[in-house]
Amino acid sequence: MRLSFPHLVSVEQVTRADADAILTVTEEMEKVLEKGGDDRLKGKILASLFYEPSTRTRLSFESAMMRLGGQVLTADGVQTSSLYKGESIEDTIRMASGYADVICMRHPTKGSAQKAADAATVPFVNAGDGPGEHPTQALLDLYTIRKERGTVEGLHVAMVGDLKFGRTVHSLSLLLTLFPGIRLTFVSPAELTMPDFVTDKLAAKGTSFERSEHLEDALKADVLYMTRIQKERFESAEEYEKVKDAFVLRAEDARPSKASILHPLPRLNEIETGVDELLNAAYFRQARNGVPVRMALLSLLLDR
Ligand code: NCD
């Protein structure tokens, strides 16, 4: 199996055949993980560059590389890297291409991932470019949805919270256009609606979507995808304070709902901890799926 792209910047590069290949190889990687890993990426090095906070994405990328026998070079924080001295992303990535066989990077600026991919001479993966995209999160969300629901086609998926700055919901919405019969409901405060760069593409692809300001509309869906209000992207503290607790999923609302509840994490107040014990609370299973999905992606990108 081969992917159609050498670098992963946006889910728009992902074809249905790519998505199917990643899902299939992820299932194989779940079995590899049960055995404690293997050594198919022995001798390969991942450069893991995180210029913005991360826990799950970074640890699961690094764990994925190590579970396949590879090794990891890490640079974290703009302050300890040459970006702090004013080095361009392009120069940083050119250097990293000489030190590693594959690169993943998270950076606070939308568009930084494309610049990096253009400069990379080894496979490059976007691990989040500011309020832009987060394609590997969308792939693990897709895998989680299929595992929890048995299928993706024909599902009603509701996304709730900060749809303006939340890169995970941008990528997931666009990735779901590959599947027929998908219906999307976007629930957000008026200030944080899904941006045009996403909705224009949904419209062009004929994927049906509606907007709402009511959490009840999301409780009726097959998948309820909650998100954190992205405090770090607001221009002022007052603007954030106005919307920070706009939607809170309570156990009494989640219990009767048949929706699988997802969240890319970290969560703040938007899901009460009482929801965690419900069978349909899938967010911790979702986070664990990050490892096999990234194992699949790394092995497919390096097998060219
Ligand atoms: C998300 C991110 O960084 O975009 N987290 C993640 O990667 N799992 C969501 C968030 O920070 O709210």
Side-chain angles (χ1 to χ4, degrees):
M1 272 182 276
R2 289 276 159 96
L3 298 174
S4 68
F5 46 84
H7 309 294
L8 180 56
V9 173
S10 160
V11 291
E12 286 194 88
Q13 299 167 266
V14 178
T15 63
R16 179 63 197 262
D18 291 326
D20 289 343
I22 293 165
L23 293 174
T24 302
V25 178
T26 301
E27 281 174 348
E28 190 187 318
M29 292 302 174
E30 295 240 41
K31 299 203 182 84
V32 171
L33 275 175
E34 276 167 28
K35 295 183 301 181
D38 68 16
D39 61 0
R40 73 184 74 189
L41 295 186
K42 188 162 180 241
K44 302 286 186 190
I45 297 174
L46 165 72
S48 163
L49 311 178
F50 281 80
Y51 303 118
E52 210 184 46
S54 173
T55 304
R56 275 151 292 272
T57 304
R58 175 170 165 185
L59 293 185
S60 62
F61 256 115
E62 298 184 358
S63 171
M65 192 65 185
M66 292 176 187
R67 291 285 187 208
L68 293 174
Q71 288 173 290
V72 178
L73 290 174
T74 286
D76 64 341
V78 176
Q79 307 235 330
T80 52
S81 74
S82 287
L83 283 184
Y84 188 56
K85 299 183 190 166
E87 186 172 51
S88 69
I89 290 170
E90 288 87 342
D91 283 0
T92 300
I93 295 296
R94 245 174 239 130
M95 291 306 112
S97 297
Y99 304 149
D101 303 286
V102 55
I103 300 168
C104 66
M105 181 186 83
R106 171 170 289 185
H107 190 280
T109 313
K110 182 170 186 271
S112 55
Q114 187 60 57
K115 281 192 192 167
D118 292 343
T121 56
V122 298
F124 170 85
V125 183
N126 178 8
D129 61 328
E133 277 213 46
H134 194 346
T136 63
Q137 179 71 40
L139 291 168
L140 82 88
D141 295 342
L142 178 70
Y143 182 74
T144 305
I145 292 171
R146 199 186 63 163
K147 204 168 165 187
E148 297 288 325
R149 307 300 303 191
T151 182
V152 178
E153 293 178 10
L155 291 181
H156 177 200
V157 180
M159 303 183 188
V160 179
D162 188 347
L163 308 185
K164 179 180 179 190
F165 297 122
R167 55 193 170 202
T168 71
V169 285
H170 302 160
S171 291
L172 181 58
S173 300
L174 295 171
L175 187 60
L176 289 174
T177 64
L178 295 175
F179 296 84
I182 287 286
R183 219 180 104 205
L184 300 172
T185 298
F186 297 139
V187 180
S188 72
E191 299 90 327
L192 299 176
T193 55
M194 188 61 90
D196 293 347
F197 88 85
V198 177
T199 53
D200 288 352
K201 286 170 196 155
L202 297 179
K205 293 190 172 165
T207 300
S208 122
F209 68 91
E210 63 200 2
R211 298 181 200 264
S212 161
E213 289 186 29
H214 308 287
L215 185 58
E216 302 85 80
D217 294 325
L219 292 167
K220 293 180 260 175
D222 301 305
V223 175
L224 169 47
Y225 193 104
M226 297 294 296
T227 64
R228 174 179 71 89
I229 307 290
Q230 308 277 301
K231 182 178 183 180
E232 65 276 30
R233 316 253 183 245
F234 283 73
E235 289 191 353
S236 71
E238 297 80 68
E239 281 175 61
Y240 171 69
E241 289 296 321
K242 261 199 284 175
V243 289
K244 72 171 192 201
D245 290 321
F247 299 105
V248 176
L249 182 64
R250 297 181 205 290
E252 65 256 35
D253 299 323
R255 196 170 291 112
S257 169
K258 294 194 171 55
S260 300
I261 302 163
L262 272 67
H263 190 308
L265 304 177
R267 91 172 129 190
L268 300 179
N269 299 323
E270 59 277 2
I271 302 183
E272 275 189 357
T273 52
V275 177
D276 300 358
E277 68 202 30
L278 302 182
L279 288 177
N280 55 337
Y283 31 94
F284 294 118
R285 295 192 288 276
Q286 176 187 4
R288 204 165 45 235
N289 290 336
V291 175
V293 169
R294 292 184 171 106
M295 287 166 77
L297 184 68
L298 288 169
S299 70
L300 284 162
L301 282 173
L302 286 168
D303 172 31
R304 299 183 71 83

